[in-house]
Amino acid sequence: MSDTKPTSRETIANLVANSGLTIDDLYKALKSELVVRSLMDEQTPVLYVLTQDLQNSIKFILMDMGASCKAEFSVNNLYEKRFHMKNIQASISEGYKLLYNFGKLRKKSLWKKLMKQVHEDGNSDLITEGLGIEQKLEVFGNTEIDQKLRNLTLHYDNEMIEVYKSTVLVDSEEKTMTKFLSFWGILQDVKLYTDKIDEYCLSKTGIHKPSPSFPIMLGINDFHKTVCQLINKDGKLENIFDNLPKEAVESIDLIAEQWNGTKRVEDYIRNNVPSIGVIPEIGHVQVLANIQLLLRFMMLDMVAIVDAYLKSSSDIEYALNLRRVCVTKVSTMVHLYGYTSDEHEQSIWKSIEDMIPNGSSELLLQSKKISDLLEKIVFQSNDKDLRATFVHLFDNSKVCSDLANVVSAIEGINPITLVADIQLLLGVYKVMMQFSTILMNVLAEEAHQKSIQSSRALDNQIDEYIRRFEESQLPDDQKNS
């Protein structure tokens, strides 16, 4: 990507942890600036309003990316590193969308609104500098934003093999951090540019930006550290995560290979012996592999989230990490069971239910209990709306951003509730893995019995042909020839 010296871990760590830009410092500064924004009214020069929105956005983006960078540096497990590198890139994508957006909605972005006002104001120096920054934004969006990776990271997929493929490709810390630094540089350019516009606006109008005359209330839930101490007594939980067995991660590779193997068989049959048609057993293996991939990703993502949570060093960092429990929960439940009737019809669980043999009363009873549990999870929460708030810094459906609402939602995270959600989902993981294993064995036995019955039927048919041949009127010398 560049001929410059590779970015070291220490360089990034210093940028994140020092330079006056710690996550906690950014949060406190953002809270103060959100108050400034709330004091602006119709008498406030438009340029001030637009620069303030961009300045607040930059603080949040840096805070968001910084939390994932810090988490990535604190682990050695490859899966956890990939989890955080994926989230760094997802944060870059969402931050870029907040500033500059994509496609037809770009004209509604914060940057485009500012540039429109700068052009109307007519200051040639500011116009020229702004166009230079806009060119950087264009190039970065065209070359560095991976929307597919962002979507698979924040949403999962009905075909979990796609999540697997995208995850194993995230294998370079240096590339991720180079992208991070590149975006960081653009954010600094935008920040310095808005500072110049503020100076210009002050010199032109003589009006200062409003400033609060009262102490700023932070509002963050301060119970996070206590919860961490309770769930990580004597460091035992963190030690488990630090020594996660390789088998727990490598099992995903084995399941993915199983799924890929069935696809190769399907392709071979389709291309070489199409007369065989569809083989139901292959589809069953794919569905079972799909649900096991979904459950394994959910479990390992939860491990990465809790590990980062335990290693957080401020209340806002605790909350930024823990909000991903909600994101992972919704991503899992959308594909596992569905929050709507349409989602349920396309869900992996619906495919599983359709595979259960009618004569297997025990499996049918277990599936009913699991269905009741999954339905309770999706219909007794506002998780989907909360997830949207955590993820979407710019709401395309409303064509606007509400950063104050996003920050408020993160501040309001109840750690006890989300830790309970983690326990609930790990319980679902255990039940579903057991059920899918039993179902796989039942289907295998059913296929075996069908094979035996088919073989017996063929043997009986051959015996019948022999009997008829023996009883025929053909001469004996022809029967024995």
Side-chain angles (χ1 to χ4, degrees), residues 17-260:
N18 302 312
S19 306
L21 290 175
T22 67
I23 297 164
D24 198 42
D25 288 341
L26 283 165
Y27 167 62
K28 291 172 182 175
L30 175 59
K31 286 291 288 185
S32 178
E33 295 303 310
L34 285 171
V35 172
V36 171
R37 180 64 177 85
S38 71
L39 295 173
M40 292 179 174
D41 55 26
E42 62 275 3
Q43 303 301 319
T44 305
V46 176
L47 282 174
Y48 275 158
V49 174
L50 296 172
T51 58
Q52 191 65 51
D53 284 342
L54 279 164
Q55 290 160 3
N56 291 350
S57 297
I58 290 168
K59 288 181 177 66
F60 184 89
I61 294 166
L62 291 175
M63 184 173 73
D64 190 24
M65 294 192 304
S68 289
C69 281
K70 184 171 178 287
E72 198 273 340
F73 292 144
S74 70
V75 296
N76 294 313
N77 176 280
L78 178 59
Y79 185 88
E80 288 189 65
K81 294 186 81 65
R82 281 173 166 164
F83 173 83
H84 294 303
M85 285 191 285
K86 288 194 298 181
N87 277 294
I88 290 168
Q89 296 190 60
S91 294
I92 289 173
S93 179
E94 284 300 308
Y96 183 88
K97 176 182 168 186
L98 177 59
L99 296 184
Y100 200 55
N101 220 314
F102 303 95
K104 294 180 180 179
L105 287 173
R106 179 160 289 170
K107 62 184 178 182
K108 300 290 185 180
S109 67
L110 296 178
W111 176 261
K112 281 294 189 181
K113 287 179 180 179
L114 175 64
M115 286 306 296
K116 180 181 178 183
Q117 192 63 35
V118 168
H119 276 277
E120 289 179 3
D121 221 63
N123 185 293
S124 59
D125 290 340
L126 289 176
I127 292 172
T128 300
E129 184 174 351
L131 290 174
I133 295 172
E134 188 165 310
Q135 178 62 26
K136 291 181 181 180
L137 284 166
E138 287 273 1
V139 171
F140 186 85
N142 291 335
T143 60
E144 301 296 337
I145 298 293
D146 188 341
Q147 281 294 83
K148 182 179 180 181
L149 177 62
R150 176 261 178 210
N151 293 337
L152 292 171
T153 299
L154 299 179
H155 293 280
Y156 288 169
D157 194 82
N158 278 337
E159 295 284 352
M160 287 300 294
I161 194 68
E162 296 301 320
V163 179
Y164 173 82
K165 290 176 182 176
S166 71
T167 299
V168 296
L169 290 175
V170 181
D171 60 356
S172 173
E173 184 180 76
E174 183 181 331
K175 287 181 180 178
T176 301
M177 294 308 154
T178 299
K179 183 179 296 189
F180 169 87
L181 278 180
S182 179
F183 191 50
W184 183 302
I186 293 174
L187 294 178
Q188 297 304 317
D189 287 345
V190 173
K191 173 62 170 63
L192 292 173
Y193 181 65
T194 58
D195 288 343
K196 287 183 181 180
I197 292 176
D198 285 346
E199 293 173 2
Y200 165 76
C201 192
L202 175 60
S203 66
K204 180 180 177 182
T205 65
I207 300 174
H208 289 270
K209 277 188 176 182
S211 59
S213 57
F214 47 85
I216 306 300
M217 302 299 293
L218 295 181
I220 188 77
N221 191 313
D222 59 2
F223 200 48
H224 289 285
K225 187 174 183 179
T226 302
V227 169
C228 279
Q229 291 171 342
L230 290 173
I231 66 175
N232 188 39
K233 188 176 181 180
D234 300 324
K236 291 180 180 178
L237 186 58
E238 189 173 348
N239 184 59
I240 290 173
F241 293 155
D242 287 341
N243 296 283
L244 192 69
K246 286 198 308 179
E247 293 79 9
V249 177
E250 290 173 350
S251 63
I252 285 188
D253 299 329
L254 295 174
I255 297 168
E257 180 54 35
Q258 184 182 47
W259 192 95
N260 286 326

Side-chain angles (χ1 to χ4, degrees), residues 157-165 250-268 270 281-294 297 348 351-352 355 440:
D157 194 82
N158 278 337
E159 295 284 352
M160 287 300 294
I161 194 68
E162 296 301 320
V163 179
Y164 173 82
K165 290 176 182 176
E250 290 173 350
S251 63
I252 285 188
D253 299 329
L254 295 174
I255 297 168
E257 180 54 35
Q258 184 182 47
W259 192 95
N260 286 326
T262 63
K263 292 301 291 183
R264 288 193 292 270
V265 172
E266 269 190 337
D267 292 341
Y268 178 85
R270 183 173 58 252
E281 288 77 10
I282 292 179
H284 292 166
V285 173
Q286 288 174 350
V287 171
L288 289 167
N290 200 27
I291 195 170
Q292 293 209 12
L293 278 175
L294 174 64
F297 268 104
I348 300 174
S351 298
I352 291 285
M355 288 163 47
M440 185 180 294

